[in-house]
């Protein structure tokens, strides 16, 4: 069975794993109601996408 001849240093190991970091989701604001949403998705609070009503939402107040 093959065994590494030299120990992999901490620096080399961390450089190899440097691209594995997690990134947070991008968010935008809805142009109709101002709610925070993910881009390219229908707003869950008002039902609008790109200025057009996609889902009918009833207003309860």
């Amino acid at each position: 069975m093959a065994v590494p001849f030299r120990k992999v240093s901490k620096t080399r190991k961390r450089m190899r794993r440097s691209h594995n970091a997690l990134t947070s989701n991008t968010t935008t604001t809805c142009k109709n109601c101002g709610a925070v949403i993910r881009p390219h998705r229908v707003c869950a609070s008002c039902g609008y996408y790109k200025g057009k009503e996609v889902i009918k939402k009833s207003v309860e107040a």
Side-chain angles (χ1 to χ4, degrees), residues 13-39:
K13 176 175 62 175
R14 290 172 184 165
M15 282 196 309
R16 184 175 67 240
R17 295 178 181 173
S18 65
H19 67 280
N20 290 344
L22 295 175
T23 57
S24 61
N25 290 333
T26 306
T27 56
T28 59
T29 57
C30 177
K31 293 180 181 175
N32 188 46
C33 67
V36 177
I37 58 170
R38 294 192 58 198

Side-chain angles (χ1 to χ4, degrees), residues 42-48 52-59:
V42 177
C43 180
S45 60
C46 68
Y48 273 71
K52 298 177 184 174
E53 187 176 17
V54 179
I55 300 171
K56 298 239 181 208
K57 292 277 187 172
S58 62
V59 178

